[in-house]
Amino acid sequence: MTNWKVILSIAKTHLLTKIKQTSTAALGVTFGIGSYITLVCFMTGLNNMLDNLILNQTPHVHIYNEIEPSAKQPISLYDDLSESFNVVHSIKPKLSQKKIHNALPIIKHLEANENVYGALPQIKTQIFYIAGSIEIGGNLTGINPLDEAKFFNMADYIVEGSAKALHNTDNGILLGIGIAKKMSLKVGDRVQISPINGGIFPLKIVGFYQSGIADLDAIQSFANIKTVQRILGKAQNYITDINVKLYDIEKSIPLSKQIEKQFKLTAIDIKTANAQFETGTTIRNLITYAVSITLLIVAGFGIYNILNMLIYEKMNDIAILKATGFSGKDVQLIFMSQAMIIGFVGGVLGLLIGFGLANLIGTIPFQTEALPTVETYPINMNPYFFIIGFTFAMLSTFLAGYLPSKKAKKIDPVKIIRGQ
Amino acid sequence: MHTVLEAKHINKYFKKPVLFHVLKDINFTIKKGEFASIMGKSGCGKSTLLYILSTMDTDYEGELFLNNELITGQDRQHLSYLRNKHIGFVFQFHYLLSEFTVLENVMLPARKLAEKSAQEIEHDAMQKLKMLNIDHLAKKRALQVSGGEKQRIAIARALINNPSIIMGDEPTGNLDSYNAENVFNIFKQLSSEEGLSLLVVTHDEDFANKTDRIIQMGDGKIIT
Ligand SMILES: Nc1ncnc2c1ncn2[C@@H]1O[C@H](COP(=O)(O)OP(=O)(O)O)[C@@H](O)[C@H]1O
Ligand SMILES: [Mg+2]
């Protein structure tokens, strides 16, 4: 039975005749929503980029053979001493291989697991890069370049050359950019490397690797698994690490526990390895929302104030409307719609401004050594943010309009008319 | 002639600042087409009575009938509707919405009632303005017209829904004698030609003497 046409036309007239106050209130909302959108797109963009920096490269479960002292020392096997208190000094780890026994069957087994997206073998070894008389210590990792590119976004960190080039070159090496700089090497050059147990092997540089972490780039290089096995003089089944990527990162903890139990290997899950990382993300999100909500609350108070003032100024009008047959509810709706119109216009403008600003930020060059593939500031334009922003605008204006409009509803026309 | 408005044993108290029995057992009826005036000393309760009769004040004892329908105790939503459809109110001070044009002011109660199309309402409003000789003001803002004109606009607004009764609380109290005369003539004409009922509070002896009936009030009671 509510007659929206009249109510909205009265609301419109009120808003238009008080255009200054109306725009101030709407601009408050615009400012709040605009900064929310800008902030949240920018912050989550950064968050995602930083997350990906870690998550893309890091295996969800990293399996290797830890060198550690045996928990059971030989003395405990000796029955005669089982009742006595034994002290063993200077325990040293058993000289065991870093090799994972039965690595290939384990990989097969993992790949059969429905949670596993990929399980990639690696060989990690220490080497020296040799250039003339200098020897630089470093790491060489044997990989399947194509799989690494597919599962761990390795291509993002190859600044020259490609994973495919490495795959196709038998004695190829993907050299850390730091080493290349130190030794003034170009793609196509040869670099000599020497494993710890001796020998010198010339490898052809097929590309440069830049992880963004300078210390790492100064030592780390990659070659095909076969190449590394040959350099080390090991068999085809010599594997030191298995990197597992899952479909769902949340499954990493149970899976790592299971692997440790089943294979007596060390399995580190990404959550444990990067615990501090998630805290950072949470805090950045918290800041974003705290700032946005503060801005919106300020905007809400602006609307509340202006509506209160408007209702105070419009006491006579309210009394006339009520005397001529508008109900308290009608009057409330008149002022509520004013609040909602302010919220709507301000909110939509805010979304547009936020969209514009976020896009603008997205075009600002952002070049950093640490992130070779990033050229401009990362922006995360999630439509979800716009829905939240709009809902927020409507909600805050609803709340800001509710109390004053409730007051207008309750105004007793007789009191106002008498007061004249 | 059927009864438009009937008050039975209306009593009202003001509780603040002290308990004050302002209306004491008011009984009267207004018939269709009747032009009645209420007179009485200032402070005797005329306005208070009018606010009750107009359904704006619901805090009273007794019973009130509008077109033989009991309206005492109805919910506010329905009272608003009754006020909108059946009661036209003219105040002493020209209560117009200052941000709207004269025409919009007159149209508002009809747009609220929403029984007619926008064109019909505008046509009716123009007709009422014409009848009161102020149609040339239609597009002006309510702020920009003189006191006498404002009062006529308020009358046009009170008439827009063809109400059963028009109530006025000293509608000429703020006008010069020329304009007061003018307003009286309009009322007179409405009651005799259109069969409209009118109940008008006035201090103006001449005005009251020309009405069909004078209700004399004193000290919260009807004397005659
Ligand atoms: N809200 C109120 N509270 C208490 N007393 C009131 C109130 N309104 C009016 N009165 C008193 O009621 C009496 C009647 O007032 P009113 O109806 O306005 O008189 P009139 O219109 O006849 O001059 C007056 O004495 C006035 O002071
Ligand atoms: Mg009075």
Side-chain angles (χ1 to χ4, degrees):
Chain A
M1 227 211 75
T2 309
N3 191 341
W4 282 106
K5 242 179 167 172
V6 191
I7 285 170
L8 289 179
S9 94
I10 295 173
K12 196 183 91 190
T13 309
H14 278 173
L15 289 177
L16 289 181
T17 46
K18 287 266 177 292
I19 193 75
K20 250 189 205 159
Q21 282 101 316
T22 312
S23 344
T24 316
L27 279 178
V29 181
T30 304
F31 188 64
I33 298 293
S35 10
Y36 163 74
I37 294 288
T38 316
L39 262 173
V40 84
C41 286
F42 182 50
M43 289 294 248
T44 57
L46 274 180
N47 270 347
N48 284 354
M49 185 193 68
L50 292 172
D51 284 356
N52 289 343
L53 191 66
I54 297 290
L55 295 184
N56 286 347
Q57 284 179 292
T58 318
H60 292 168
V61 181
H62 176 205
I63 305 167
Y64 60 100
N65 218 348
E66 187 90 83
I67 295 178
E68 57 189 350
S70 317
K72 252 188 174 173
Q73 291 295 318
I75 193 161
S76 59
L77 298 172
Y78 195 44
D79 282 343
D80 288 357
L81 294 174
S82 63
E83 291 301 303
S84 51
F85 185 74
N86 305 312
V87 179
V88 184
H89 288 284
S90 283
I91 295 178
K92 293 285 184 297
K94 188 171 69 176
L95 184 70
S96 70
Q97 288 176 303
K98 285 199 272 179
K99 166 185 173 176
I100 297 176
H101 291 285
N102 294 324
L104 299 179
I106 290 175
I107 288 173
K108 278 236 163 61
H109 172 83
L110 287 172
E111 277 173 343
N113 187 323
E114 57 173 8
N115 292 323
V116 173
Y117 178 46
L120 306 189
Q122 287 194 344
I123 303 170
K124 288 197 178 148
T125 184
Q126 262 119 41
I127 48 138
F128 294 102
Y129 303 97
I130 301 171
S133 60
I134 3 167
E135 290 187 352
I136 301 172
N139 297 331
L140 181 65
T141 303
I143 54 168
N144 290 330
L146 296 184
D147 286 349
E148 293 288 340
K150 180 178 169 202
F151 293 106
F152 293 102
N153 300 52
M154 189 178 199
D156 288 355
Y157 305 95
I158 298 177
V159 285
E160 267 187 81
S162 68
K164 199 163 166 96
L166 180 61
H167 176 77
N168 292 337
T169 314
D170 203 19
N171 275 328
I173 184 168
L174 185 65
L175 201 64
I177 189 115
I179 307 158
K181 282 216 179 96
K182 266 190 224 171
M183 303 173 74
S184 325
L185 293 167
K186 299 188 301 291
V187 172
D189 288 355
R190 279 179 186 276
V191 61
Q192 288 187 312
I193 63 144
S194 161
I196 295 176
N197 46 0
I200 289 181
F201 299 84
L203 296 178
K204 189 180 175 201
I205 299 171
V206 296
F208 293 136
Y209 167 82
Q210 184 177 11
S211 68
I213 302 163
D215 281 347
L216 187 63
D217 296 338
I219 53 172
Q220 181 69 55
S221 295
F222 295 92
N224 285 310
I225 285 192
K226 274 184 205 148
T227 314
V228 179
Q229 283 166 343
R230 196 162 51 240
I231 290 170
L232 296 176
K234 301 285 188 184
Q236 294 256 340
N237 64 356
Y238 181 83
I239 299 294
T240 62
D241 298 74
I242 301 172
N243 286 343
V244 181
K245 185 141 190 168
L246 303 175
Y247 289 106
D248 178 7
I249 189 170
E250 301 300 326
K251 301 253 166 66
S252 59
I253 298 175
L255 188 76
S256 67
K257 292 222 167 86
Q258 189 199 330
I259 292 169
E260 285 196 334
K261 246 196 185 147
Q262 197 174 350
F263 302 110
K264 299 231 162 44
L265 292 166
T266 307
I268 300 287
D269 62 272
I270 190 168
K271 295 251 168 182
T272 313
N274 295 293
Q276 78 288 5
F277 207 77
E278 209 150 278
T279 320
T281 306
T282 315
I283 287 177
R284 278 191 296 271
N285 278 339
L286 207 69
I287 292 172
T288 308
Y289 278 89
V291 170
S292 313
I293 288 173
T294 311
L295 289 171
L296 281 174
I297 287 176
V298 172
F301 270 107
I303 295 177
Y304 174 83
N305 252 337
I306 281 166
L307 273 184
N308 250 341
M309 228 170 60
L310 196 73
I311 286 167
Y312 191 76
E313 279 173 27
K314 293 272 178 284
M315 285 291 201
N316 282 345
D317 287 26
I318 293 169
I320 301 167
L321 287 172
K322 287 188 170 177
T324 55
F326 285 79
S327 63
K329 196 179 142 211
D330 292 334
V331 171
Q332 180 174 25
L333 288 176
I334 288 172
F335 288 96
M336 267 326 284
S337 18
Q338 294 185 33
M340 297 317 277
I341 290 170
I342 290 174
F344 182 83
V345 173
V348 168
L349 262 173
L351 293 184
L352 288 177
I353 286 180
F355 182 77
L357 275 179
N359 269 326
L360 195 72
I361 291 175
T363 63
I364 298 174
F366 175 61
Q367 251 137 16
T368 156
E369 282 285 294
L371 304 157
T373 51
V374 173
E375 274 155 22
T376 56
Y377 278 98
I379 289 296
N380 178 20
M381 282 282 187
N382 191 337
Y384 195 57
F385 298 148
F386 289 78
I387 295 171
I388 293 181
F390 187 71
T391 316
F392 228 68
M394 296 313 275
L395 206 73
S396 65
T397 45
F398 181 86
L399 290 178
Y402 185 76
L403 289 178
S405 73
K406 186 103 186 161
K407 197 166 87 186
K409 177 187 179 174
K410 291 230 173 92
I411 284 172
D412 177 4
V414 173
K415 252 190 207 139
I416 310 297
I417 293 165
R418 262 192 202 288
Q420 193 85 37
Chain B
M1 271 281 160
H2 86 265
T3 308
V4 170
L5 190 71
E6 181 170 13
K8 279 187 184 168
H9 307 295
I10 301 285
N11 278 282
K12 177 164 175 82
Y13 300 85
F14 282 120
K15 278 146 197 124
K16 281 187 236 168
V18 287
L19 189 70
F20 173 39
H21 194 175
V22 53
L23 295 177
K24 299 163 186 161
D25 195 41
I26 304 283
N27 293 286
F28 69 91
T29 58
I30 304 283
K31 294 203 163 24
K32 186 166 161 49
E34 192 171 16
F35 185 0
S37 55
I38 301 178
M39 289 199 75
K41 287 209 181 68
S42 184
C44 72
K46 305 179 298 290
S47 297
T48 308
L49 176 62
L50 221 50
Y51 298 140
I52 290 173
L53 296 178
S54 70
T55 76
M56 280 192 281
D57 186 354
T58 52
D59 181 20
Y60 61 90
E61 292 163 10
E63 287 175 330
L64 202 59
F65 295 86
L66 184 66
N67 295 324
N68 298 316
E69 176 195 357
L70 177 68
I71 57 172
T72 306
Q74 298 267 22
D75 68 71
R76 288 188 173 273
Q77 196 81 25
H78 185 64
L79 290 180
S80 294
Y81 169 76
L82 288 178
R83 200 151 63 230
N84 189 212
K85 185 163 171 64
H86 295 295
I87 301 171
F89 210 103
V90 184
F91 308 96
Q92 175 175 9
F93 298 93
H94 352 280
Y95 268 114
L96 298 177
L97 301 180
S98 51
E99 278 139 4
F100 293 77
T101 66
V102 167
L103 186 64
E104 283 169 333
N105 265 285
V106 176
M107 281 162 50
L108 261 184
R111 292 178 62 195
K112 164 63 193 161
L113 192 62
E115 279 182 355
K116 291 179 184 163
S117 72
Q119 280 96 339
E120 281 177 287
I121 291 172
E122 183 162 349
H123 176 259
D124 284 3
M126 278 313 292
Q127 209 171 28
K128 303 285 180 208
L129 287 176
K130 229 172 251 163
M131 189 175 88
L132 299 169
N133 284 322
I134 41 171
D135 51 320
H136 57 284
L137 302 175
K139 295 289 169 205
K140 277 200 175 174
R141 290 253 254 138
L143 269 178
Q144 299 165 322
V145 299
S146 76
E149 288 166 341
K150 275 181 184 158
Q151 203 59 304
R152 276 184 278 169
I153 297 164
I155 294 170
R157 183 180 63 196
L159 288 171
I160 188 73
N161 284 336
N162 298 319
S164 309
I165 184 164
I166 292 226
M167 300 182 193
D169 192 357
E170 304 185 34
T172 57
N174 216 24
L175 298 179
D176 57 43
S177 58
Y178 169 78
N179 275 307
E181 177 83 22
N182 195 321
V183 167
F184 175 82
N185 289 337
I186 293 164
F187 282 159
K188 188 78 198 166
Q189 187 188 344
L190 287 169
S191 104
S192 56
E193 287 175 19
E194 319 251 325
L196 194 68
S197 309
L198 290 128
L199 180 61
V200 178
V201 169
T202 183
H203 272 133
D204 186 340
E205 199 93 33
D206 295 337
F207 185 107
N209 284 334
K210 287 187 275 183
T211 61
D212 301 343
R213 168 177 159 210
I214 299 174
I215 297 168
Q216 193 73 41
M217 272 184 77
D219 204 15
K221 281 180 262 191
I222 291 183
I223 304 170
T224 53

